[in-house]
Amino acid sequence: MSDTTPVKQQSTAAFYVQAVASFMVAIAAVAFGIFFLDADAWVRGFLAIGVLYLVTSCFTLAKVIRDRQEAGQIHSRVDQARLEKILAEHDPFQKL
């Protein structure tokens, strides 16, 4: 019986560093742009709050998608284990 469990994809350290650096550069650029925007303080504050809300919403969405994917993998593994157990216990030559 072959093991068909999918191999878990691992990110490399370089990919992780690149993702964090990219996120930091993007946040810094937006913060710099908002800070030096030629507008009243309340407009800059509104934009800053909007950016913070957008960032936290993106993190939440990414977590929900990851959790749903992981739950689907666990459900699939349980179903696969049940099927393998049924097939292992089944005797096709048993008389009825």
Side-chain angles (χ1 to χ4, degrees):
M1 191 177 295
S2 67
D3 185 19
T4 59
T5 305
V7 176
K8 185 172 182 175
Q9 296 290 329
Q10 292 281 333
S11 298
T12 63
F15 179 76
Y16 179 77
V17 169
Q18 181 182 1
V20 170
S22 175
F23 176 76
M24 293 300 193
V25 167
I27 287 292
V30 170
F32 182 82
I34 290 173
F35 183 74
F36 287 105
L37 184 66
D38 187 26
D40 292 335
W42 72 268
V43 173
R44 290 193 309 260
F46 178 79
L47 290 173
I49 294 292
V51 167
L52 288 175
Y53 179 64
L54 181 63
V55 168
T56 58
S57 296
C58 288
F59 279 121
T60 302
L61 178 62
K63 183 185 179 319
V64 167
I65 290 171
R66 184 199 62 205
D67 291 348
R68 179 176 274 183
Q69 179 187 14
E70 286 177 355
Q73 287 176 348
I74 290 170
H75 183 71
S76 175
R77 282 183 155 177
V78 169
D79 286 346
Q80 182 68 27
R82 285 180 184 157
L83 178 62
E84 287 178 6
K85 182 181 180 219
I86 290 170
L87 290 174
E89 292 174 351
H90 177 69
D91 182 9
F93 300 110
Q94 178 183 13
K95 293 185 178 182
L96 296 176

